Amino acid sequence: MFQRLRARMGKTSDKQPEALDRDNIPEHIAIIMDGNGRWAKSRGLPRVAGHHSGMKAVKRITMAADRLGVKYLTLYAFSTENWKRPKAEVEFLMKLPQEFLAIELQELIDNNVQVRMMGYKQDLPEHTLSAVEEAVRQTEDNTGLVLNFALNYGSRKEMIEAVRLIGEDIRSGRLAPADIQESHLEKSLLSSGLPDPDLLIRTSGELRLSNFMLWQLAYSEMWFTDVYWPEFSEEHFYEAIREYQRRARRYGGL
Ligand code: IPE
Ligand code: IPE
Ligand code: MG
């Protein structure tokens, strides 16, 4: 009994966030949550069991980010390329937002979390979109952590759409090609209104971006781990931030 209590207390107090510099917490952390399928396979489970278990990691890391005072947490949940997967897996993934929100939305509200979505809505099934939009609506006035789900997100599509918008401004005479600034592109991206990520985390050992925030990650610090997303713990998250705090960001300067 005592041991179990200690183990449980350890879950909340032994995580050593004390070793983190509270004055240098990344304002925006973006995570490529990868490795659900391999995690499941390694346990002899179907891939979808990994996606299901990954939801618990979403909850865990959202709460950890909130406690640390992270302002924005962007989670890559489904890419514009993930439609290539078997239909049954895609259908399972499209049910997760409503399942996640049915269980967790109240606690997110209680913690003043603001839910947002970054991605293309038109291809999403109605049941997925309505669950997400309802969560966005119910939390839009919250002023705490912004939990931004990249859902049906793809960076190249995002850039093409941004260029299209700029093209419209040029055609209508609102903008001259010679006057195009970074800010014009930025405000046309899905990430408009968010600062660029300070820290990018990718789990599962893959060392690539997979079409994620290619513009926005220009000067982000990157941290990769072999750990599969369902096993990604608060301790791993703190380790990534600790490593971030050891780095010197120079932005091309000295
Ligand atoms: C990440 O896990 C979740 C999504 C891409 C939706 P994967 O499903 O990519 O898992 P692996 O990479 O195949 O192990
Ligand atoms: C990136 O993971 C997309 C998400 C985590 C949602 P993938 O598993 O789709 O990436 P690749 O195919 O290994 O590059
Ligand atoms: Mg993967």
Side-chain angles (χ1 to χ4, degrees):
M1 176 64 194
F2 184 60
Q3 257 183 351
R4 271 186 58 195
L5 191 66
R6 267 180 62 111
R8 282 192 54 194
M9 283 177 63
K11 274 197 158 173
T12 52
S13 60
D14 276 352
K15 291 173 215 149
Q16 301 174 4
E18 308 79 38
L20 293 172
D21 175 358
R22 293 292 177 145
D23 296 326
N24 187 20
I25 298 295
E27 183 182 26
H28 185 178
I29 300 180
I31 308 184
I32 303 176
M33 309 183 288
D34 198 14
N36 293 351
R38 280 165 285 165
W39 176 85
K41 194 175 170 211
S42 73
R43 305 187 152 215
L45 298 168
R47 288 181 56 82
V48 294
H51 298 316
H52 204 261
S53 186
M55 278 201 305
K56 299 203 183 82
V58 169
K59 166 76 183 304
R60 204 157 57 227
I61 300 309
T62 299
M63 291 307 164
D66 185 43
R67 286 194 300 272
L68 286 177
V70 173
K71 298 232 168 54
Y72 303 89
L73 179 66
T74 295
L75 300 178
Y76 204 8
F78 192 88
S79 78
T80 48
E81 287 69 39
N82 288 145
W83 298 106
K84 293 178 198 162
R85 296 186 178 200
K87 191 161 171 271
E89 181 169 340
V90 170
E91 277 173 5
F92 187 92
L93 286 166
M94 288 299 149
K95 283 188 190 136
L96 289 183
Q98 64 212 85
E99 187 176 339
F100 177 78
L101 292 165
I103 300 166
E104 307 297 355
L105 182 58
Q106 191 53 53
E107 195 173 339
L108 296 175
I109 291 171
D110 293 344
N111 283 281
N112 199 23
V113 172
Q114 186 189 108
V115 178
R116 291 195 203 172
M117 177 191 150
M118 179 175 81
Y120 293 94
K121 294 181 175 177
Q122 62 271 20
D123 311 310
L124 294 173
E126 163 58 26
H127 61 88
T128 311
L129 186 58
S130 59
V132 176
E133 286 190 323
E134 179 62 18
V136 169
R137 198 188 58 70
Q138 284 198 43
T139 61
E140 65 192 352
D141 295 328
N142 290 356
T143 54
L145 172 74
V146 170
L147 175 59
N148 183 36
F149 286 104
L151 188 58
N152 194 25
Y153 173 85
S155 195
R156 289 189 169 183
K157 182 174 171 65
E158 179 189 38
M159 286 195 217
I160 286 175
E161 296 300 335
V163 170
R164 209 188 306 284
L165 289 171
I166 290 172
E168 292 293 343
D169 280 352
I170 290 172
R171 188 171 62 168
S172 68
R174 284 191 295 267
L175 182 66
D179 293 337
I180 299 175
Q181 310 284 333
E182 286 189 10
S183 59
H184 291 113
L185 204 95
E186 263 155 17
K187 73 174 196 297
S188 308
L189 295 172
L190 293 171
S191 59
S192 166
L194 297 173
D196 288 342
D198 300 290
L199 172 63
L200 171 81
I201 296 172
R202 183 170 187 152
T203 59
S204 91
E206 306 299 352
L207 305 179
R208 56 178 171 258
L209 296 178
S210 303
N211 203 16
F212 187 54
M213 301 188 91
L214 304 180
W215 169 278
Q216 298 88 339
L217 293 171
Y219 270 106
S220 308
E221 296 299 324
M222 305 205 180
W223 189 82
F224 298 93
T225 175
D226 287 341
V227 171
Y228 295 140
W229 176 248
E231 284 186 333
F232 193 72
S233 66
E234 288 96 338
E235 285 76 7
H236 297 121
F237 189 56
Y238 301 144
E239 184 49 41
I241 297 172
R242 227 174 266 124
E243 167 67 26
Y244 167 87
Q245 294 182 339
R246 284 194 285 267
R247 298 199 191 162
R249 302 182 75 185
R250 285 188 287 275
Y251 301 96
L254 294 178

